[in-house]
Amino acid sequence: MRKKIVAANWKMNLNLTEGGNLVSDICKSLPILAENMQVLIAPPYINITSVVSQLSGVSNVFVAAQNCHQEASGAYTGEVAASMLSAAGVTYVIIGHSERRQYFAESNAMLAQKTDQALSNNLKVVFCCGEPLEVRDANNQNAYVAQQIEESIFHLTAEQMNSVVVAYEPIWAIGTGRTANTAQAQDMHSHIRAVLSAKFGAEVADSTSILYGGSCKPSNAAELFACQDVDGGLIGGASLKAEEFLGIIYAMTK
Ligand code: 13P
C-alpha cells in the first residue's frame, strides 16, 4: 500500500524560536498515525538540527530539507550538500519546487543531478512538478508536467523510485488561495501515475505517493485527499500555524 503523506514546507519563514514552538504545538495534538501515514516538516536549513532533535522518538514524523546542492562538496559558498543533510538526521529533501525553478533558475537537468545527490546519500526525494497558468490556460499541462518528470527522474531505476515521492503543485494555485478543484487534481495525478507506469511499470507507479500542493487548507484537504490518486499534500501557508496544519493532518487520517 502506498504511503499517505502530509508535508509542511515552511519556505523562508519562522526563526529558531518560532519554529520550535510550532513543532512542539504540533506534537502536543498529533493524532496517531497509521503505519502507512507520514508527516514531514521542512524548515529552513538553520532550524533543521533543532527540529530533528525535537522529533526524535516521534513516530512517523520526519524532517525534510527544502533543497540540496547538485554537487557532492566543494567551493559553493552558501550551499548545503545532500551528505550534510543526511548526517544531520534529515530523511527527505524537496527537489524542484517551483520557487527554486523560478528564482534560482533550477533546470530539469540540474534537478536530475540534485535527485542523484539526494538518493546516493540515502535521502528520500519529494520531487515537485507543476505548470504555470499560461500552460494550464492553453491546456498543455499534461505534456508540460510529463516533460518535467521525464527530464529529472526518468534516469532512475525502479528500485530508486521507491525513495521518490512526487508532488504536483500547479503554480497558479501556490499562495494564491486558488486551489485546483478535485477533478483537476485527480486528472493530473492519474496522468502522472500513467507517466510513471509507462516508464517504470505499474507496480512502481501504484506504490509511488503523489501529493497535491497549492492553497491546501483544512477546509479543502479532505475532499482533495479523497481523490483516488491524491495521496496527501505539500502545504505552504497553512503549515505555519499548528491548528491549520493539524487540521490537514486530521484530514489525512480520516
Ligand atoms: P501554499 O500552500 O502556501 O499555496 O504553498 C504550496 C507550496 O508551495 C508548498 O510547497
Side-chain angles (χ1 to χ4, degrees):
M1 200 187 346
R2 60 181 178 253
K3 286 189 182 64
K4 293 185 176 188
I5 299 173
V6 167
N9 177 8
W10 291 0
K11 309 189 179 184
M12 196 173 71
N13 294 294
L14 306 180
N15 67 23
L16 211 49
T17 309
E18 293 162 340
N21 290 341
L22 176 58
V23 171
S24 70
D25 287 347
I26 291 167
C27 287
K28 269 182 223 148
S29 304
L30 196 66
I32 291 171
L33 298 169
E35 207 182 321
N36 69 325
M37 290 178 189
Q38 295 187 347
V39 170
L40 314 184
I41 297 185
Y45 283 139
I46 199 158
N47 301 35
I48 276 182
T49 50
S50 97
V51 177
V52 166
S53 42
Q54 270 186 294
L55 291 176
S56 79
V58 182
S59 299
N60 297 11
V61 185
F62 301 99
V63 177
Q66 298 174 17
N67 179 34
C68 69
H69 196 261
Q70 65 271 24
E71 299 293 342
S73 63
Y76 301 101
T77 301
E79 291 295 316
V80 173
S83 60
M84 300 168 185
L85 298 172
S86 191
V90 169
T91 308
Y92 282 85
V93 57
I94 298 171
I95 288 185
H97 193 281
S98 59
E99 289 148 17
R100 300 286 324 166
R101 295 172 186 265
Q102 181 180 352
Y103 303 126
F104 302 95
E106 296 192 355
S107 64
N108 290 343
M110 188 192 292
L111 299 174
Q113 287 179 278
K114 288 185 183 230
T115 301
D116 289 342
Q117 281 299 328
L119 295 177
S120 62
N121 285 286
N122 295 319
L123 295 168
K124 296 178 196 295
V125 168
V126 178
F127 177 76
C128 300
C129 54
E131 79 288 353
L133 186 58
E134 61 271 21
V135 170
R136 168 68 58 169
D137 284 344
N139 201 27
N140 283 332
Q141 66 274 9
N142 284 8
Y144 187 94
V145 167
Q147 187 175 0
Q148 290 179 318
I149 291 172
E150 284 163 19
E151 293 184 5
S152 297
I153 61 173
F154 261 26
H155 65 289
L156 301 179
T157 64
E159 197 193 333
Q160 285 178 307
M161 281 301 293
N162 287 328
S163 300
V164 176
V165 169
V166 175
Y168 169 60
E169 299 205 306
I171 296 169
W172 45 270
I174 295 177
T176 58
R178 181 181 164 190
T179 320
N181 62 39
T182 51
Q184 289 170 322
Q186 171 55 28
D187 283 354
M188 179 56 82
H189 282 230
S190 97
H191 167 64
I192 291 170
R193 210 176 294 288
V195 167
L196 296 176
S197 181
K199 172 67 187 173
F200 298 104
E203 204 178 317
V204 168
D206 284 345
S207 59
T208 301
S209 302
I210 306 177
L211 316 184
Y212 168 79
S215 299
C216 188
K217 40 190 186 266
S219 58
N220 59 27
E223 62 176 18
L224 285 162
F225 298 171
C227 297
Q228 194 187 340
D229 288 292
V230 177
D231 306 309
L234 179 54
I235 320 299
S239 75
L240 301 174
K241 295 201 175 117
E243 200 180 298
E244 289 190 30
F245 190 55
L246 283 161
I248 297 171
I249 296 171
Y250 278 105
M252 168 177 71
T253 62
K254 291 282 150 55

